[in-house]
Amino acid sequence: MKNKPDDLISILEQKETFYPFMRSGKCRFGVPNTAELNEFMELIKAILFPGYFSRQTIEADTFGNYLKVNLLNMQTILTSIIHKGYCFDCENDEKSCAHTVTESAGMSERFIETLPLIKELLISDIEATFLGDPASKSHGEVILCYPVIQAMIHYRVAHQLYKSGVPIVPRMITEMAHSLTGIDIHPGAEIGKNFTIDHGTGVVIGETCVIGNNVKLYQGVTLGAKSFPLDDNGNPIKGIARHPIVGNNVIIYANATILGRIRIGENAVIGGNTWVTRDVPANEKVLL
Amino acid sequence: MKNKPDDLISILEQKETFYPFMRSGKCRFGVPNTAELNEFMELIKAILFPGYFSRQTIEADTFGNYLKVNLLNMQTILTSIIHKGYCFDCENDEKSCAHTVTESAGMSERFIETLPLIKELLISDIEATFLGDPASKSHGEVILCYPVIQAMIHYRVAHQLYKSGVPIVPRMITEMAHSLTGIDIHPGAEIGKNFTIDHGTGVVIGETCVIGNNVKLYQGVTLGAKSFPLDDNGNPIKGIARHPIVGNNVIIYANATILGRIRIGENAVIGGNTWVTRDVPANEKVLL
Amino acid sequence: MKNKPDDLISILEQKETFYPFMRSGKCRFGVPNTAELNEFMELIKAILFPGYFSRQTIEADTFGNYLKVNLLNMQTILTSIIHKGYCFDCENDEKSCAHTVTESAGMSERFIETLPLIKELLISDIEATFLGDPASKSHGEVILCYPVIQAMIHYRVAHQLYKSGVPIVPRMITEMAHSLTGIDIHPGAEIGKNFTIDHGTGVVIGETCVIGNNVKLYQGVTLGAKSFPLDDNGNPIKGIARHPIVGNNVIIYANATILGRIRIGENAVIGGNTWVTRDVPANEKVLL
């Protein structure tokens, strides 16, 4: 390249001088990356659903070792991911990074203790999915083929990391599932047991949603924000509760849009293509 | 890890004792896996659309050999995939697995005989897509870029395997396309020739749909079930015809939702955002 | 395989005799392929957002070299991709291919000169996304996690290649993003600065759309064609302006469908689930 590209480089360099469109790697640990996150999620799936998603052979008499080896690998990778997440966040605040590898290792260990809970919830989601779909042939088919199960594995893992305060990583994990399935669940949402989504493409579940037990959604359902209070500069104020609260046993049909901090009462049925921005009493049906 | 993780492992082990959340590999062939299915679909695409999706060089005088080599590779992989599919299903029913590699090889060979039909149908879909979209520049662009063509290659292959009774594999193949394109077609659906979908994200075509020739869908269209008869335990009865029958030359615009075992007559036009749960006579227009 | 497969091969061979369902590689450069396009887009992201998407270490004193090396690699790959794009198109027209590697290298060099503009526009999109979403925690999170940013990086790069007349490649680049994000933007669309899409799955932006500055879309919005004039054979005429013109500061809520060469005036607000096929005056609100 001749002089012109040199000018170009100096332009691109100049543009880099303004934060935050470059990561300089102050912390020397880099940014959480897709390859590492994929490896982490593959180990999670190998541990929670042995024999489904990895080619490792499972034997009754070596199963304890299989779990132990995969748990150890997973813990090591998660420690690295969490530490990068903290570095990412520190640099963002332009503070010095006080989080240490030891601290990240501790969080990784505490995450592992939530695995039995995560598994229990996922098994309830699989059961709800199997029972709810006349097309499903077996629990095995549901685990192996249904997008909602991929979305829920990612969400339930991300939600535990979110609750323990790990920055950036939970959102990256749910966005991986969003890309794979078209199901967009914010890791901050709270979702009860026996949850299922049929088909799934286009579903949006916002950050401050609270969803009860035995809830079923269809494709294209939005549980979103209606409007947000603005600050003095006219920008949305962050972190305010602004998404729906959905009671137990609610069914929401395809492409319904439910917006704002409203309550959908227990056993309510929300019809397809509806636009709902007010409370819905328990046991009520909302149709187009 | 200290004692605590040992407790954790024993909890995860215990949870594994209840079927079907673990695959023990009784059959010793493992579960159909993504890597093998990807390789199979790449060979299918290399055979049906030479020179488009693989980097193999195509020459007029070696083209017969090119086809033969790719067909042989594909047959070998498909035999392995089919056998794993049968093992998956047998274990599921807790019966002993009576299917042999020889039997799977026979099914693989019979599948290959359907390739000319699959290719003929796909060429009709490409033609319909090219003619139906003012933005398309060439047939080549349609093959290389249009999501509907990826979805239809996967569906038309999966449908042949579904008809011959291969378990689990057909659904895995259409879900691969669902993840890539946002188009969710159940392998059990029946779809005529000259079929096309514009854009595609969010389209759902259910298991018992029957679609005629020259049908065009737009993004977000659902051909789904309205409600399903329940068994004595309150769970949906499997396998009942519950999705629409769509006649020849029907056009269905964006985000229309069509539910239940209804008939959409020939030449009907269904407008966007509509919600249709009753028969539509031939030649009729349904608008919002 | 026995005689039967030989028959099969001859059938598949015969089918290949009719153009254009086979690429014979007349030009000897092959078809633009996914692997090369992925590498190109990774280098683009490494250059525009250093430290985010690649694992290369960034240091202040070597940053100029980092940019130079990545730019050179990117230029080489892009030259190869552009040349394949021309070959693809020539073969399509059955003309001899007059485009040379030198010519492709020139186009690649001219593309690189548009990078500062592309970066400036993307930074405005990141700013709009950060400010517009109460759930966003930092600009860094927006760059790393938000699907709209992936979609816009692909679109803004593809649009520059589209304007300079490179065949097939621009559409391949936006379809890569469509597959990843569910956001389908045609590379021919014109989109102003400070553009954002929340969630994104199901969004369609057609080839001849013209979108102003500070426009915000939500998931499932279609900016599409209403109907197209047909030629004497009853097929759509290619290339006619048929998609909406959207003014500055317009907001369009979830699943709105806006069709035809209509004008949405400045500051207009289009409500969710609406179906709009007529001009909307400036400052007006269209609700369901």
Side-chain angles (χ1 to χ4, degrees), chain C residues 78-121:
Chain C
L78 182 56
T79 299
S80 159
I81 291 171
I82 290 174
H83 196 241
K84 284 173 185 159
Y86 277 119
C87 290
F88 186 86
D89 205 44
C90 285
E91 190 173 3
N92 189 53
D93 290 344
E94 297 194 12
K95 295 177 300 195
S96 66
C97 183
H99 295 278
T100 63
V101 175
T102 313
E103 192 181 340
S104 302
M107 299 203 61
S108 176
E109 211 172 312
R110 283 191 294 283
F111 166 77
I112 285 180
E113 286 165 30
T114 69
L115 280 175
L117 171 65
I118 289 173
K119 174 144 192 176
E120 199 178 314
L121 289 167

Side-chain angles (χ1 to χ4, degrees), chain A:
Chain A
M1 286 191 275
K2 286 170 255 136
N3 288 347
K4 224 162 159 192
D6 281 340
D7 295 349
L8 176 77
I9 286 168
S10 68
I11 293 169
L12 288 169
E13 275 190 305
Q14 279 165 17
K15 289 210 175 291
E16 290 307 335
T17 57
F18 63 95
Y19 178 84
F21 303 104
M22 169 178 172
R23 288 282 152 184
S24 69
K26 276 185 220 159
C27 278
R28 304 248 149 210
F29 284 92
V31 164
N33 63 72
T34 314
E36 224 173 25
L37 285 166
N38 277 330
E39 206 179 339
F40 168 64
M41 288 308 302
E42 275 172 25
L43 287 164
I44 286 279
K45 290 169 195 174
I47 291 161
L48 296 181
F49 300 103
Y52 275 91
F53 301 108
S54 88
R55 300 210 218 176
Q56 292 167 289
T57 309
I58 320 279
E59 305 275 0
D61 58 350
T62 57
F63 185 55
N65 285 331
Y66 164 93
L67 281 178
K68 197 160 192 167
V69 167
N70 282 321
L71 279 167
L72 277 166
N73 283 342
M74 193 262 271
Q75 191 180 22
T76 306
I77 291 170
L78 182 56
T79 299
S80 159
I81 291 171
I82 290 174
H83 196 241
K84 284 173 184 157
Y86 277 120
C87 290
F88 186 86
D89 205 44
C90 285
E91 190 173 3
N92 188 52
D93 290 344
E94 297 193 13
K95 295 178 300 196
S96 66
C97 183
H99 295 279
T100 63
V101 175
T102 314
E103 193 181 340
S104 301
M107 299 204 60
S108 176
E109 212 172 312
R110 283 190 294 283
F111 166 77
I112 285 180
E113 285 165 30
T114 69
L115 280 175
L117 171 65
I118 289 173
K119 174 144 192 177
E120 198 179 314
L121 289 167
L122 286 171
I123 285 175
S124 79
D125 300 332
I126 292 162
E127 190 68 22
T129 304
F130 174 68
L131 292 177
D133 180 13
S136 68
K137 305 286 180 286
S138 67
H139 290 80
E141 187 198 34
V142 167
I143 297 171
L144 208 53
C145 298
Y146 278 54
V148 64
I149 301 309
Q150 292 300 311
M152 291 309 288
I153 295 174
H154 282 247
Y155 158 74
R156 295 214 183 269
V157 164
H159 183 61
Q160 292 301 325
L161 293 169
Y162 179 94
K163 285 206 297 183
S164 66
V166 177
I168 200 76
V169 175
R171 183 68 182 266
M172 292 183 84
I173 290 172
T174 55
E175 285 297 340
M176 287 162 70
H178 183 191
S179 180
L180 285 171
T181 67
I183 298 170
D184 177 357
I185 309 180
H186 195 286
E190 288 172 32
I191 303 180
K193 65 182 181 182
N194 295 316
F195 181 74
T196 188
I197 306 174
D198 204 6
H199 307 296
T201 310
V203 163
V204 172
I205 299 177
E207 185 183 23
T208 64
C209 276
V210 182
I211 298 176
N213 299 325
N214 313 312
V215 169
K216 180 174 187 178
L217 310 185
Y218 284 80
Q219 68 274 17
V221 165
T222 292
L223 303 175
K226 191 183 171 195
S227 59
F228 357 97
L230 304 181
D231 65 17
D232 295 346
N233 298 318
N235 296 322
I237 299 171
K238 307 278 180 188
I240 288 174
R242 61 199 180 282
H243 299 103
I245 298 170
V246 178
N248 297 329
N249 313 314
V250 167
I251 301 180
I252 307 178
Y253 284 99
N255 302 315
T257 305
I258 301 176
L259 301 181
R261 191 58 166 186
I262 61 174
R263 277 172 195 277
I264 310 296
E266 297 211 349
N267 312 309
V269 176
I270 310 294
N273 281 13
T274 52
W275 185 266
V276 180
T277 56
R278 295 193 208 170
D279 284 357
V280 173
N283 307 306
E284 201 155 296
K285 288 191 186 189
V286 176
L287 299 176
L288 199 59

